[in-house]
Amino acid sequence: MSETTNSSKMFLSGVVEGFYGRPWTMEQRKALFRREQKWGLNTYLYAPKDDYKHRMYWRELYTSEEAEQLITLISAAKEHNVEFIYAISPGLDITFSNPKEVAALKRKLSQVCGFGCRSFALLFDDIETEMCAADKEAFSSFAHAQVDITNQVFQHLQDPNTFLFCPTDYCAAFCTPSVRESSYLHTVGEKLLPGIDILWTGPKVVSNDISVESIVEVSSVLRRPPVIWDNIHANDYDPQRLFLGPFKNRPTELIPKLRGVLTNPNCEFEPNFVAVHTLATWCKSSTGQKDVSMDGEDQGSDYNPQEALRLALTDWLIEFGMADQPDVSRAGSGCPKREPSEEEPMQTDEYVPGPGENPLYTAEPLTLEDLTLLSELFYLPYEHGPTALSMLRELQWLRGNSSAAVFDSVAPENAKAKEWRERAERFDDMCAAVVQMFNRLSNVPNRTILYDLYNYICDIKSGVSLARTFVSSLGGCNPPHCQVINNDPEPWGFRGGLSGEFQRMLPCHGNRDLFRTPPATRVYTIRPSISKDKSEVLRLSKEMQSETLQQVTLIGDRLVDGQLSPSNHCDLLLEDETGLCGFAFALTDAKTAMIKSQYPEMMLRDFPSLMAIQIHPRVPDPNIVKQLISNVLSSLKESGSNGVFCEFRSSDKRMLNFLRTLGLLHVLNVEGLQPGLVLMGTKL
Ligand code: GDL
């Protein structure tokens, strides 16, 4: 591995403007450079997807006006010690084998070189992987085509400061069959010249976490440490989401294993204060020696996401107080008073309300608590902030226990009714805090930040207000429950528009809530078992049996050790990065496997099928296990079964408890079972 080539270079840290949609303005980019310098970040990758000349019309040279703007931008970056990397994305329509295309690419990059730029990137993300006929003839694979052109361009640029390549398979989820066995990545790793660095987004496009092991693995295939293109704060895929949570779930032990980290943040420029500030804190933190837990408590390193967030919000609060537009003359405290100028005569006849008249509108200044709340309502792609989560939990509880609210009016001293009332009041307070935060935000002197946030804060205020009215109606306050959902709503009664309607019609994806379906902490595969898997299945089963220390013979054991073959599509395995971690095997007709009548006829009429399940304790994610079991259940149902049972040794407390929490199976009360045996099951 040529790690040595990179180890002497500076760690790239900063921002990639790499999202879809409206690119930032030149002024915003310059503001970014100022912030980067202030916070110790050193890189900016120019890659706005919907800038014409970056992607769609990549061959076109810049006009003299455009050139002038880019020259100014590149020199602004230099002034602030930020390395400006110019990226181009020719992958939509380039013919790799045509020398004219290579020449067009070289010509374009030479032009940008003439603007003072010394670092470049070639991006092949989000493109069609099928090559045209001419390219198929010239190259043995897509990877060979990309590598060939990238190496040529790199050499043409003669020793650029930095040169980045974004592969088409830029995350583990895109690699077939896996990172280790991806022929695409192997070709890139072997053939790309060692001076070229490679971008990587982690296990997924938007990675919840990035582990050290995953980076060690991909580095060995790429033969160099990657530069992380981090989409943790990107929001271009959902117009209702914004990410104001801290940079998180990337252990600082990654730093020495990476060539750099560039964050591709929210499309709106101003709200990225948190994303960029917390990344800077992360980059500055020292790497600890102890283990890093992935729940955000980075023990052993001096990076703590909550603390990094607090630092960012404290600095951001100051920016909110800075008036940035001429009409903000009556701003609250923290707003610097501007001197009256000649063009703008001072207002002398300021209105002062008389006795008995309306007082002037005032709003208290924004607080750090408001900003913390804002961040927690718009936290991270796979996680709501603590306050948001507790609001959802409370609403769920209040809705689920609304009978207590009704009771409240008749027997107010009833304990349950009292609890309901108190929790309803607390929920109301939390909603009130959101509305108050909205009011204070709408009054901030810095209108630019406010306008970038406006749609989002309006949306959350309306959502929260609806929930508040709903809870107060449950509690018997007016209006009554049924009137909350009005029969003739205004257009805002149809929230989410057409896209919302499509989503609500979908069976599963449409109802995917972070609250109910928190993301898996690992990447899993569910697949049918093949004969080669037998020994691993047996090993897992034996290991789990020794855990239960009880010798009761189960029919299911014969499904596991291969004496019995599972029915069609009823033999699924669960794997994580380290291998087999669970299985679910089933027989449509359990009777065919019974030596004597082990179970009562009555029970078998209701539950004719048998399932054997085992899950390793290292799997903490209930949802993936639900998916595994549900797949087998639906195969059984398809084959005509009306019910299934599973046998467990009663000492197997762990599995019994785990399955009980999933809610898919319940304990069956069957008389005359052999001692030490517990049955769980479900109707289909
Ligand atoms: C992507 C795109 C990026 C986009 C992001 C989030 C990469 C390398 N490319 O796949 O332009 O902003 O997803 O939608 O991440």
Side-chain angles (χ1 to χ4, degrees):
M1 212 172 113
S2 58
E3 243 179 67
T4 44
T5 0
N6 292 301
S7 57
S8 55
K9 295 190 195 163
M10 132 190 113
F11 183 84
L12 303 176
S13 63
V15 174
V16 44
E17 183 184 336
F19 46 81
Y20 291 87
R22 182 200 291 267
W24 291 334
T25 64
M26 294 297 176
E27 286 316 307
Q28 288 173 325
R29 290 168 182 151
K30 287 175 206 162
L32 174 69
F33 303 156
R34 288 194 290 277
R35 285 180 189 170
E36 288 203 56
Q37 183 177 38
K38 191 163 162 197
W39 301 336
L41 297 169
N42 58 35
T43 303
Y44 165 75
L45 173 56
Y46 173 90
K49 279 275 185 305
D50 285 304
D51 174 282
Y52 263 156
K53 295 190 178 175
H54 161 73
R55 195 167 61 117
M56 265 184 210
Y57 300 106
W58 61 269
R59 294 176 192 82
E60 284 189 20
L61 295 178
Y62 290 104
T63 62
S64 51
E65 292 94 284
E66 289 165 341
E68 208 178 298
Q69 292 210 319
L70 278 171
I71 291 167
T72 314
L73 189 68
I74 292 163
S75 77
K78 222 169 264 163
E79 260 171 50
H80 292 94
N81 286 329
V82 169
E83 186 67 16
F84 185 101
I85 308 179
Y86 176 85
I88 192 159
S89 292
L92 284 182
D93 61 1
I94 191 168
T95 298
F96 291 89
S97 52
N98 187 340
K100 280 192 190 154
E101 295 278 77
V102 186
L105 204 47
K106 289 181 181 169
R107 186 167 58 238
K108 178 77 170 276
L109 295 185
S110 293
Q111 188 194 23
V112 179
C113 200
F115 301 162
C117 180
R118 292 291 167 266
S119 290
F120 298 88
L122 261 186
L123 311 183
F124 295 106
D125 56 324
D126 297 359
I127 55 168
E128 188 51 61
T129 51
E130 185 70 18
M131 285 191 288
C132 63
D135 285 345
K136 273 187 189 154
E137 193 129 295
F139 298 106
S140 53
S141 76
F142 199 34
H144 284 90
Q146 292 179 359
V147 163
D148 178 76
I149 209 163
T150 307
N151 286 344
Q152 285 190 59
V153 169
F154 174 71
Q155 280 165 334
H156 169 78
L157 290 165
Q158 294 178 352
D159 206 19
N161 289 352
T162 298
F163 193 98
L164 306 178
F165 167 86
C166 183
T168 305
D169 295 350
Y170 52 81
C171 61
F174 286 2
C175 294
T176 40
S178 62
V179 168
R180 206 180 292 278
E181 290 168 76
S182 154
S183 60
Y184 174 90
L185 282 194
H186 274 286
T187 306
V188 168
E190 274 165 34
K191 304 265 189 267
L192 210 60
L193 292 170
I196 302 175
D197 288 305
I198 303 175
L199 291 156
W200 182 252
T201 65
K204 302 208 288 178
V205 176
V206 180
S207 297
N208 186 27
D209 36 50
I210 302 180
S211 70
V212 172
E213 303 78 65
S214 74
I215 292 305
V216 169
E217 180 184 47
V218 73
S219 303
S220 84
V221 177
L222 298 177
R223 303 179 181 216
R224 68 207 83 196
V227 176
I228 296 294
W229 165 313
D230 208 321
N231 286 321
I232 182 174
H233 285 97
N235 72 341
D236 54 359
Y237 51 82
D238 186 341
Q240 281 193 304
R241 303 189 73 191
L242 179 75
F243 301 111
L244 305 177
F247 189 72
K248 197 177 163 184
N249 295 342
R250 281 82 176 125
T252 47
E253 283 79 356
L254 280 172
I255 296 173
K257 303 236 172 327
L258 290 172
R259 169 80 179 90
V261 179
L262 304 176
T263 185
N264 176 37
N266 297 289
C267 302
E268 296 81 358
F269 177 77
E270 293 297 338
N272 288 319
F273 197 96
V274 177
V276 183
H277 196 291
T278 56
L279 171 65
T281 307
W282 184 85
C283 290
K284 277 184 276 204
S285 66
S286 65
T287 305
Q289 298 305 308
K290 284 183 245 155
D291 276 347
V292 174
S293 73
M294 296 309 286
D295 62 3
E297 301 305 323
D298 287 11
Q299 302 138 3
S301 132
D302 66 4
Y303 182 76
N304 174 322
Q306 282 77 37
E307 179 54 17
L309 178 64
R310 200 189 56 78
L311 290 176
L313 295 179
T314 308
D315 284 353
W316 202 20
L317 185 63
I318 301 169
E319 301 262 322
F320 275 92
M322 293 182 173
D324 64 328
Q325 281 177 25
D327 58 343
V328 189
S329 51
R330 189 162 22 90
S333 77
C335 163
K337 278 258 178 290
R338 290 171 314 114
E339 292 300 320
S341 68
E342 265 183 41
E343 307 89 68
E344 206 187 339
M346 198 164 85
Q347 248 182 305
T348 46
D349 54 349
E350 218 172 274
Y351 177 71
V352 181
E357 289 186 346
N358 272 332
L360 281 182
Y361 178 80
T362 52
E364 292 154 20
L366 192 70
T367 65
L368 187 58
E369 289 68 43
D370 290 328
L371 275 193
T372 309
L373 176 59
L374 177 71
S375 153
E376 293 192 4
L377 299 176
F378 295 96
Y379 205 60
L380 289 170
Y382 297 100
E383 187 181 347
H384 294 307
T387 312
L389 206 57
S390 85
M391 289 180 81
L392 288 169
R393 267 198 208 113
E394 285 305 285
L395 178 58
Q396 192 189 37
W397 187 90
L398 290 164
R399 203 183 54 172
N401 293 277
S402 56
S403 54
V406 178
F407 206 46
D408 192 21
S409 50
V410 245
E413 284 322 306
N414 172 283
K416 194 75 194 235
K418 200 161 163 253
E419 183 185 0
W420 197 94
R421 196 170 55 244
E422 283 168 6
R423 288 176 77 160
E425 272 165 22
R426 267 209 309 277
F427 181 74
D428 196 71
D429 289 346
M430 290 195 269
C431 295
V434 174
V435 176
Q436 197 175 33
M437 177 265 290
F438 173 87
N439 291 338
R440 289 172 182 163
L441 261 176
S442 351
N443 194 45
V444 290
N446 193 321
R447 309 312 280 172
T448 310
I449 311 183
L450 170 70
Y451 299 152
D452 266 0
L453 292 169
Y454 203 83
N455 285 346
Y456 299 100
I457 57 174
C458 235
D459 193 39
I460 194 65
K461 186 186 76 158
S462 320
V464 162
S465 302
L466 276 177
R468 194 180 187 189
T469 318
F470 172 65
V471 169
S472 80
S473 73
L474 286 180
C477 304
N478 286 333
H481 179 187
C482 59
Q483 279 177 23
V484 176
I485 291 84
N486 191 312
N487 277 337
D488 180 22
E490 292 282 357
W492 47 88
F494 304 99
R495 289 169 66 85
L498 178 62
S499 166
E501 275 180 60
F502 277 124
Q503 282 181 52
R504 287 189 289 275
M505 273 193 206
L506 304 181
C508 160
H509 288 267
N511 297 324
R512 188 159 281 172
D513 292 333
L514 264 182
F515 175 54
R516 291 194 185 82
T517 323
T521 52
R522 302 199 195 119
V523 177
Y524 296 96
T525 317
I526 295 177
R527 65 168 177 88
S529 103
I530 51 171
S531 55
K532 265 205 326 218
D533 299 314
K534 233 182 219 166
S535 58
E536 266 304 282
V537 169
L538 206 57
R539 198 192 51 72
L540 175 68
S541 163
K542 287 259 159 63
E543 188 186 335
M544 297 299 103
Q545 265 192 50
S546 61
E547 215 189 36
T548 66
L549 297 168
Q550 189 188 17
Q551 288 316 312
V552 178
T553 321
L554 310 177
I555 311 174
D557 289 345
R558 285 189 289 135
L559 262 179
V560 174
D561 67 17
Q563 289 184 51
L564 292 170
S565 305
S567 305
N568 264 354
H569 311 298
C570 292
D571 56 344
L572 293 184
L573 302 183
L574 179 67
E575 289 178 324
D576 63 8
E577 303 103 327
T578 46
L580 186 74
C581 55
F583 58 77
F585 292 162
L587 267 183
T588 320
D589 186 1
K591 267 199 215 162
T592 57
M594 286 183 199
I595 299 156
K596 50 185 173 47
S597 343
Q598 272 158 288
Y599 297 112
E601 207 41 54
M602 271 264 280
M603 176 203 122
L604 291 173
R605 217 173 306 141
D606 286 342
F607 304 96
S609 305
L610 166 77
M611 180 158 58
I613 311 168
Q614 195 48 260
I615 305 294
H616 196 279
R618 74 169 184 265
V619 178
D621 301 299
N623 289 313
I624 193 70
V625 179
K626 255 188 181 172
Q627 208 174 317
L628 175 84
I629 298 175
S630 303
N631 284 345
V632 175
L633 294 183
S634 50
S635 299
L636 287 172
K637 193 171 177 186
E638 255 166 50
S639 65
S641 170
N642 61 321
V644 59
F645 71 98
C646 310
E647 310 154 292
F648 294 97
R649 296 173 175 89
S650 55
S651 54
D652 197 355
K653 295 265 179 322
R654 184 187 60 83
M655 268 309 279
L656 285 165
N657 284 336
F658 185 58
L659 290 173
R660 232 180 306 228
T661 60
L662 297 188
L664 287 175
L665 306 168
H666 55 269
V667 175
L668 303 180
N669 290 318
V670 179
E671 277 180 23
L673 286 185
Q674 59 166 313
L677 187 66
V678 177
L679 298 189
M680 287 186 94
T682 183
K683 297 259 181 144
L684 294 169

